[in-house]
């Protein structure tokens, strides 16, 4: 079954060329020429993945991404010509799950889309894990604290589930990239650090002094055993 993609890009030529290439890769692609149009389309029906340009008329990609995160857990790939590290980190901080710099190769972009869409599947029948007052229930797809659902994105949820599955053991950034973003992922470890930082703001009592997702210097991250 084709994966559905919403491509938000104001440059019509780029939008058409990339969309055509992705359709040739077997993906179902809807197009939007602005952030507002993209948000309206996303409100009409769900998509497996959103491709989001950073530079858009009116609301820029950062703002649109934050709005998507406010209303949806749909994975977002930021597609941008701005390769500066500060822009990449800002995009991830705004809630993007991944980023690609232009010009991108259709096959690579397609592989990233499929990897992101694949990990939206249920983690299966992994047991519940309780850390302090936090309950991680992989089979139910939720994390709760004192009975209240903690609003995590899919990426944050998958990170927490993978750390919980190996509770007490350190998982390196490379292991987390492979487990959360897919074995054929092409990214770098900044993705992990940014998403762990965002995850901590939601699950830690004091994100500046984390007790749940802890850092093991030079090795990676772990949940207490």
């Amino acid at each position: 079954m084709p994966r559905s993609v919403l491509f938000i890009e104001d440059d019509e030529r780029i939008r058409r060329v990339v969309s055509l290439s992705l359709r040739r890769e077997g993906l179902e692609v809807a197009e939007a020429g602005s952030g507002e149009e993209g948000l309206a389309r996303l409100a009409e029906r769900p998509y497996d993945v959103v491709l989001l340009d950073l530079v858009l008329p009116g609301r820029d990609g950062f703002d649109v991404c934050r709005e998507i995160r406010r209303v949806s857990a749909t994975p977002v790939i930021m597609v941008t010509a701005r390769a500066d590290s500060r822009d990449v980190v800002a995009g991830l901080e705004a809630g993007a799950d991944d980023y690609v710099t232009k010009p991108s190769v259709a096959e690579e972009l397609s592989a990233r889309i499929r990897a992101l869409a694949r990990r939206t599947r249920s983690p299966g029948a992994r047991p519940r894990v309780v850390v302090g007052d936090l309950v991680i229930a992989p089979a139910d797809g939720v994390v709760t604290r004192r009975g209240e659902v903690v609003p995590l994105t899919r990426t944050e949820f998958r990170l927490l589930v993978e750390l919980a599955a190996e509770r007490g053991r350190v998982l390196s950034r490379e292991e987390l990239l492979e487990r959360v973003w897919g074995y054929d992922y092409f990214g770098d470890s900044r993705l992990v650090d940014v998403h762990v930082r965002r995850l901590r703001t939601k699950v830690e009592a004091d994100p500046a002094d984390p007790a749940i997702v802890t850092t093991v210097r030079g090795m990676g991250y772990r949940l207490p055993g």
Side-chain angles (χ1 to χ4, degrees):
M1 181 178 178
R3 298 294 187 187
S4 59
V5 178
L6 174 60
F7 185 23
I8 306 174
E9 161 70 63
D10 67 319
D11 188 313
E12 185 177 356
R13 186 185 62 82
I14 292 176
R15 196 173 67 241
R16 289 187 174 178
V17 169
V18 173
S19 294
L20 179 61
S21 299
L22 293 178
R23 289 181 183 118
R24 286 174 176 162
E25 292 289 316
L27 297 165
E28 173 195 327
V29 184
E31 302 176 25
S34 70
E36 292 294 351
E37 183 183 356
L39 290 170
R41 283 184 173 273
L42 194 58
E44 292 171 356
R45 54 153 290 186
Y47 291 90
D48 292 319
V49 173
V50 173
L51 297 180
L52 178 61
D53 185 25
L54 184 57
V55 180
L56 293 168
R59 303 176 74 169
D60 65 19
F62 297 128
D63 191 29
V64 173
C65 189
R66 282 189 286 269
E67 180 63 17
I68 292 173
R69 282 285 78 88
R70 192 180 69 78
V71 300
S72 167
T74 303
V76 175
I77 300 177
M78 197 76 84
V79 183
T80 175
R82 290 160 59 171
D84 187 280
S85 181
R86 289 170 297 185
D87 289 323
V88 172
V89 172
L92 296 173
E93 292 281 12
D97 298 84
D98 194 1
Y99 64 88
V100 178
T101 53
K102 298 175 182 175
S104 54
V105 177
E107 290 80 2
E108 178 187 336
L109 192 54
S110 174
R112 288 175 184 260
I113 291 167
R114 293 183 194 284
L116 270 175
R118 224 177 12 250
R119 67 183 175 78
T120 63
R121 295 175 299 186
S122 168
R126 291 181 180 175
R128 292 196 323 162
V129 173
V130 179
V131 185
D133 60 2
L134 200 72
V135 178
I136 305 163
D140 298 330
V142 297
V143 174
T144 58
R145 167 174 284 130
R146 302 187 197 95
E148 297 291 327
V149 174
V150 180
L152 302 180
T153 66
R154 284 177 174 154
T155 297
E156 292 159 356
F157 177 74
R158 288 300 301 265
L159 266 175
L160 195 57
V161 167
E162 294 301 333
L163 288 165
E166 302 284 352
R167 192 172 176 180
R169 187 171 85 80
V170 180
L171 292 182
S172 69
R173 291 170 176 79
E174 289 72 22
E175 282 183 279
L176 288 168
L177 276 172
E178 180 179 327
R179 289 178 178 222
V180 176
W181 279 267
Y183 72 93
D184 52 0
Y185 184 73
F186 306 88
D188 63 48
S189 61
R190 284 177 300 181
L191 273 177
V192 178
D193 295 336
V194 171
H195 285 283
V196 165
R197 191 158 59 242
R198 289 174 53 86
L199 174 62
R200 282 171 170 162
T201 66
K202 299 180 180 179
V203 301
E204 301 282 357
D206 181 4
D209 185 20
I212 296 175
V213 182
T214 59
T215 302
V216 179
R217 188 178 296 275
M219 296 180 67
Y221 297 101
R222 73 177 170 194
L223 259 66

